[in-house]
Amino acid sequence: MTSDEGTVRVDSWIWSVRLTKTRSLAAAACRAGHVRVNGTRVKPAQLVRPGDEVRLQHEGRERIVVVSRVIAKRVGAGVAAECFVDNSPPPPAREEAASVGLRDRGTGRPTKRDRRDLERLRTQ
């Protein structure tokens, strides 16, 4: 397999710059269609180059990054932050993310009324 200088697989790059915890999660995101390079859905073996825009749907939010440097091996967080420009929207506030109604442990299965109340809370 020949490799061009300045290119690396997208799943390896996403893992290397610490956008996902494991390379297999990065590859699974590519296969599921959650990764786009320059607006096109890609497979894990797609090559990325400096200047490419990578969009990743991960953990309930969209990350939009522009590749400034390609790396193939996982590096420290400080070095990884220099390898891309983050254009992502800010993450939602913790209060918004944690507004899901929780039931007490051991109270059993919710009744129809309880379920409707929970749905009403979630849609507000």
Side-chain angles (χ1 to χ4, degrees):
M1 178 176 154
T2 62
S3 64
D4 294 336
E5 200 61 37
T7 61
V8 70
R9 289 173 56 117
V10 69
D11 63 338
S12 178
W13 186 83
I14 288 172
W15 168 73
S16 299
V17 297
R18 298 174 175 262
L19 294 178
T20 59
K21 289 187 179 194
T22 64
R23 185 170 173 191
S24 62
L25 283 176
C30 292
R31 284 191 298 274
H34 299 301
V35 178
R36 294 178 179 265
V37 175
N38 297 326
T40 307
R41 286 184 178 177
V42 294
K43 294 181 179 179
Q46 174 72 34
L47 298 177
V48 292
R49 295 170 177 78
D52 287 348
E53 180 189 65
V54 178
R55 291 175 176 256
L56 170 69
Q57 286 286 98
H58 183 63
E59 295 179 352
R61 71 181 274 224
E62 183 178 31
R63 300 290 307 265
I64 303 169
V65 297
V66 177
V67 179
S68 60
R69 194 171 105 199
V70 292
I71 55 174
K73 300 288 183 185
R74 194 165 171 99
V75 293
V79 177
E82 298 171 357
C83 296
F84 63 88
V85 178
D86 195 359
N87 295 332
S88 304
R94 286 191 164 208
E95 294 80 33
E96 293 176 16
S99 66
V100 177
L102 297 176
R103 292 177 45 85
D104 293 329
R105 187 173 176 89
T107 57
R109 189 171 166 180
T111 63
K112 192 171 195 176
R113 178 185 222 170
D114 292 339
R115 225 176 32 249
R116 288 180 177 162
D117 290 341
L118 288 172
E119 284 299 317
R120 198 172 305 119
L121 279 174
R122 288 182 186 144
T123 58
Q124 289 179 356

